[in-house]
Amino acid sequence: MAEKLMKYADAVKQFDPVIGLETHVELSTNTKLFCPAHVEFGGDPNTQLTPVSLGLPGSLPVLNEAAVDYAIKLGLALHCEIAEWSQFSRKNYFYPDMPRNYQISQYDKPTNGNGYLDVELDDGTIFRVPIERAHIEDDAGKNTHVGGADGRIEGADHSLVDYNRAGVPLIEIVTKPIEGVGDRGPEIAGAYMRTLRDIVRALNISHARMEQGNMRADVNVSLRRNPTDPFGTRSETKNVNSFRGIEKTIQYEIRRQAAILNDGGEVLQETRHWDEASQTTAGGRVKSDADDYRYFPDPDLVMLHITKEHIERLAAQMPEMPRERRNRLQGEWGFSDLEMRDVVNADALDLIEATVAAGATAAGAKKWWLGELSREANAKGVSLEELPVTPADVAEVEKLIADGKLNDKLAKQTVSGVLAGEGTPSDVVAKHGYQVVSDDGALVAAVQEAMDANPDVVEKLKAGNMKPMGAIIGAVMRATKGQADAKAVNKIVMERLHA
């Protein structure tokens, strides 16, 4: 039965939304957080294991130093206070994919706390998102439900458990309640997640591929009548793994909760799940509070001591942050604010920068990645970086155009050949014999033939009406199989008209 929803515009007019995000970022360390088991996405099930990651009796955890350094770097990027002493605790709950029956996490003494992240919205507005903590923990395994629809547990006749992910290091970034979002809550959450993704990639601490589960978010939403009222009861939608899904989850939950409150009902504090197919959330279990997890310090792990000197060493290694990098590149490339937002929204910044580094102009690189290649990616339902074409390929095509060896039509055909797996641009050009007709004699002959076949067009051109010029150019293109240089054709026509 479909849940009752209020129109979004009415909901945010009657209620003040408060949102919160708990983002899990899987770190790209070589080994797991507390054991030397290898970390690799897509490996055969249950092959990346040790007694520690299986939680076997007598096995003892040993902390991964690289994971701690990654956490400190992220804390610095999020303007957090780095604790001199932090502690790992046992978070007790039973899931089939949690082999120890508890998770090793940080509770009351996290490594990073009390930070913030400024995010830029589409209209240039800067919104500050307050960060409560960014703590270290290990991940659970993965359940696969068999026999039900779409891999869901409903209707399944059995489940399989893969423990490869169990013990993989995570950082969980928890925001404080994000207030004052008004009707822009979904937009703010999407901008926050994209900015966070860009930061962890810049730090080179995570692949941050949401479709692979490297980065996912639990989305909290509550409503209250007025900004001065206490917070309302929140729902928590678990493990949303796309930017659009996060935005849609917030919009849906605001509409759902507003309808309940408007009818005099009470919102249940529960976990929910986002269903991409129906674009709805569905109820899960009643949400547990921290007391229900029975946190206590892990007796197998001593407290983590981080010295001021160690933090300073890591701070000196920090790379350029995404916003500063975007501002620098925008200045170097001469892009307008709107052009730069288009580049960022298309997730093409890295690709364009690499294409420019390979020898293309910024304008040329943007034209290809946001034009022909973006349409190709959308048609195939993949990201730009998943297309079988490299920045070096695009730069090579641009050079062939600049050298007068390809025109726009031939360049598009060349790129299509690269996408089809025919090799590099040079390979495609050689295979198909693509080459701009540069022989003056051949072009002059083709132009004269086109003018002779279109005397009415020639008369209009002689009278100063240039609109029909396309008919002559088109005829020459057909005669040369698209290999003529349109500018050269235009020049020859003008010379003939005034001869």
Side-chain angles (χ1 to χ4, degrees), residues 71-76 80-85 110-113 306 311:
I72 295 170
K73 287 182 177 180
L74 182 57
L76 291 170
C80 288
E81 298 169 3
I82 314 297
E84 182 180 1
W85 293 95
T111 298
N112 305 306
I306 301 172
I311 295 172

Side-chain angles (χ1 to χ4, degrees), residues 227-364:
T228 55
D229 292 345
F231 295 136
T233 302
R234 76 185 189 280
S235 66
E236 181 181 358
T237 305
K238 303 288 287 186
N239 293 325
V240 188
N241 66 346
S242 74
F243 299 127
R244 182 64 63 186
I246 290 166
E247 293 165 354
K248 292 290 187 181
T249 292
I250 293 172
Q251 188 177 70
Y252 182 87
E253 278 299 293
I254 288 174
R255 296 179 65 196
R256 183 187 71 86
Q257 293 182 27
I260 293 172
L261 295 173
N262 194 56
D263 288 344
E266 293 184 1
V267 175
L268 180 66
Q269 182 172 321
E270 62 179 344
T271 63
R272 297 181 69 85
H273 301 279
W274 171 250
D275 187 332
E276 186 66 35
S278 65
Q279 298 282 289
T280 63
T281 64
R285 60 180 173 85
V286 175
K287 172 62 180 171
S288 301
D289 289 316
D291 292 346
D292 298 316
Y293 292 121
R294 295 180 293 112
Y295 283 99
F296 64 87
D298 192 308
D300 292 332
L301 291 161
V302 299
M303 290 191 72
L304 176 61
H305 182 213
I306 301 172
T307 65
K308 181 179 178 181
E309 291 74 21
H310 190 69
I311 295 172
E312 289 174 349
R313 281 197 298 273
L314 293 176
Q317 301 171 14
M318 294 287 283
E320 184 180 32
M321 288 293 97
R323 188 195 294 175
E324 288 73 22
R325 176 184 170 222
R326 285 197 300 271
N327 291 339
R328 174 179 58 79
L329 290 176
Q330 181 177 351
E332 291 177 0
W333 296 344
F335 287 177
S336 68
D337 291 345
L338 179 59
E339 286 176 319
M340 201 64 181
R341 279 200 292 274
D342 287 344
V343 169
V344 172
N345 291 339
D347 204 13
L349 188 69
D350 291 344
L351 294 167
I352 291 175
E353 184 180 26
T355 306
V356 172
T361 64

Side-chain angles (χ1 to χ4, degrees), residues 52-85:
V52 174
S53 55
L54 284 173
L56 298 182
S59 59
L60 293 174
V62 178
L63 183 59
N64 185 327
E65 182 179 0
V68 175
D69 286 350
Y70 286 3
I72 295 170
K73 287 182 177 180
L74 182 57
L76 291 170
L78 298 178
H79 308 94
C80 288
E81 298 169 3
I82 314 297
E84 182 180 1
W85 293 95

